[in-house]
Amino acid sequence: MNCLNFRGCVAECEKTGCAGGTCFPHCKFPSDGVANDGPWYMQEPLYLKWKQWDCQSDCRYNCMIDREKEREAVGHGPVKYHGKWPFTRVFGIQEPASVAFSALNLAMHFHGWLSFFILLYYNLPLRQDKKAYYEYASLWHIYGLLAMNSWLWSAVFHSRDVDLTEKLDYSSAVALLGYSLIVSILRSFNVRVEAARVMVAAPFLAFVTTHILYLNFYTFDYGWNMKVCVAIGVAQLLIWAIWVGVTCHPSRWKLWVVVVGGGLAMLLEIYDFPPYQGFFDAHAIWHATTIPLTCLWWSFIRDDAKFRTSILLKKAK
């Protein structure tokens, strides 16, 4: 079914409040022409409204589902509507698989950061001022917070795609990618002097901040944002790959797995395909692949803290 039939269905639904035999009580103008703005005791309880979309969104969703059924009946594959594949909602959640995998990534990052924190301040020796010997501790703390923030907004965005959640998700992801590139440079080149760190980080922070402001307040250019994210991702993978190829780090094999796995997973972001059974598209599978990589990544960070601490303790003796 072509896009004109879809748009016609949506336009009719927004006038009548019904699409394909399904009517929405929260639409202002239902098919009988009587507005639904009744007294509060005639409306749905708040705990039931959380899963409810607005009239336009429900009209678009149901018209999309109807059109896809018609396309499937004549042997045609799925198409995108307003730039997104047709997903099957579950309890009002727009992309349930991506939400679940984003939540698991959030949990893995929280567990990884917490175990890193416990290792630094409770298991490894501390300096006399109670600070960790590991020179990159503060960098990884910030990384952990940015990662958890990014996956939180990813889960929120995939549960309900509106303008605000979209901007928060994309902005958080760019911030995490940009900071990850900075950390890869500082750790790979063993930059420990604070002034040097500031000089390295400043131009990248300026670019990432400008890019986020551009997306939020000028124009939300999906194509440009994808190019920026892929460029940053490839750059940091190359930096880690070169470093792990020349270093004698005892846990370099873990970093190799993360680099290779991250590179392969990035292909899922570039190669897009429709969701299987309405749930698992390329983006959702990419979210799934990052879960085990996150566990291994934080394991490498903990090993790096142990490795650097042991070296510094030997020098102190």
Side-chain angles (χ1 to χ4, degrees), residues 237 257-270 286 289 293:
L237 286 177
V257 175
V258 172
V259 169
V260 175
L264 294 175
M266 190 180 295
L267 296 177
L268 291 169
E269 282 291 272
I270 301 173
W286 172 70
T289 60
L293 292 178

Side-chain angles (χ1 to χ4, degrees), residues 172-221:
S172 299
V174 172
L176 174 60
L177 276 172
Y179 185 79
S180 299
L181 177 59
I182 294 173
V183 173
S184 68
I185 295 172
L186 297 182
R187 180 62 189 93
S188 298
F189 290 92
N190 203 24
V191 182
R192 287 175 287 178
V193 179
E194 196 66 30
R197 288 183 176 184
V198 172
M199 292 178 64
V200 171
F204 294 102
L205 290 175
F207 174 78
V208 170
T209 302
T210 303
H211 179 67
I212 292 174
L213 293 174
Y214 173 83
L215 292 178
N216 284 274
F217 299 106
Y218 184 68
T219 180
F220 208 96
D221 190 329

Side-chain angles (χ1 to χ4, degrees), residues 125-141:
L126 296 174
R127 299 179 185 273
Q128 291 183 349
D129 57 2
K130 301 301 180 182
K131 292 183 178 180
Y133 277 94
Y134 187 47
E135 317 100 305
Y136 306 97
S138 59
L139 297 177
W140 291 121
H141 287 320

Side-chain angles (χ1 to χ4, degrees), residues 133-155:
Y133 277 94
Y134 187 47
E135 317 100 305
Y136 306 97
S138 59
L139 297 177
W140 291 121
H141 287 320
I142 297 173
Y143 169 82
L145 295 176
L146 286 175
M148 287 184 281
N149 174 73
S150 178
W151 286 110
L152 169 65
W153 288 116
S154 174

Side-chain angles (χ1 to χ4, degrees), residues 73-306:
V74 295
H76 294 314
V79 294
K80 289 187 176 183
Y81 298 83
H82 299 282
K84 296 185 72 69
W85 291 113
F87 289 93
T88 301
R89 290 182 186 173
V90 177
F91 297 110
I93 297 175
Q94 185 173 348
E95 301 175 38
S98 289
V99 171
F101 294 143
S102 295
L104 286 172
N105 273 288
L106 171 61
M108 291 301 101
H109 274 288
F110 176 73
H111 175 269
W113 171 77
L114 184 62
S115 59
F116 173 69
F117 181 90
I118 292 172
L119 172 71
L120 278 182
Y121 299 104
Y122 293 94
N123 296 338
L124 292 177
L126 296 174
R127 299 179 185 273
Q128 291 183 349
D129 57 2
K130 301 301 180 182
K131 292 183 178 180
Y133 277 94
Y134 187 47
E135 317 100 305
Y136 306 97
S138 59
L139 297 177
W140 291 121
H141 287 320
I142 297 173
Y143 169 82
L145 295 176
L146 286 175
M148 287 184 281
N149 174 73
S150 178
W151 286 110
L152 169 65
W153 288 116
S154 174
V156 172
F157 168 66
H158 289 299
S159 65
R160 186 154 300 195
D161 178 3
V162 296
D163 185 62
L164 177 62
T165 58
E166 181 179 52
K167 288 182 177 179
L168 287 169
D169 175 45
Y170 278 70
S171 299
S172 299
V174 172
L176 174 60
L177 276 172
Y179 185 79
S180 299
L181 177 59
I182 294 173
V183 173
S184 68
I185 295 172
L186 297 182
R187 180 62 189 93
S188 298
F189 290 92
N190 203 24
V191 182
R192 287 175 287 178
V193 179
E194 196 66 30
R197 288 183 176 184
V198 172
M199 292 178 64
V200 171
F204 294 102
L205 290 175
F207 174 78
V208 170
T209 302
T210 303
H211 179 67
I212 292 174
L213 293 174
Y214 173 83
L215 292 178
N216 284 274
F217 299 106
Y218 184 68
T219 180
F220 208 96
D221 190 329
Y222 295 95
W224 169 244
N225 183 67
M226 175 62 76
K227 292 176 183 177
V228 169
C229 290
V230 170
I232 295 176
V234 170
Q236 62 181 291
L237 286 177
L238 286 175
I239 291 171
W240 284 122
I242 294 171
W243 182 71
V244 76
V246 299
T247 186
C248 295
H249 199 288
S251 296
R252 58 186 178 276
W253 71 268
K254 294 182 180 179
L255 190 53
W256 266 125
V257 175
V258 172
V259 169
V260 175
L264 294 175
M266 190 180 295
L267 296 177
L268 291 169
E269 282 291 272
I270 301 173
Y271 176 68
D272 195 15
F273 56 82
Y276 176 72
Q277 297 294 323
F279 295 106
F280 303 98
D281 68 330
H283 191 71
I285 296 175
W286 172 70
H287 283 336
T289 60
T290 55
I291 296 171
L293 292 178
T294 297
C295 296
L296 199 59
W297 176 235
W298 277 105
S299 177
F300 167 76
I301 295 171
R302 291 192 298 271
D303 290 348
D304 189 49
K306 296 176 186 176

Side-chain angles (χ1 to χ4, degrees), residues 6-36 54-56 58-60 62-63 66-67:
F6 168 73
R7 291 173 181 171
C9 173
V10 173
E12 182 66 22
C13 175
E14 290 178 349
K15 291 179 182 177
T16 64
C18 298
T22 303
C23 296
F24 316 110
H26 54 288
C27 279
K28 187 163 182 152
F29 300 105
S31 56
D32 59 4
V34 179
N36 280 310
D54 59 30
C55 184
Q56 183 188 63
D58 272 335
C59 285
R60 287 180 175 180
N62 282 273
C63 286
D66 290 342
R67 297 297 83 78

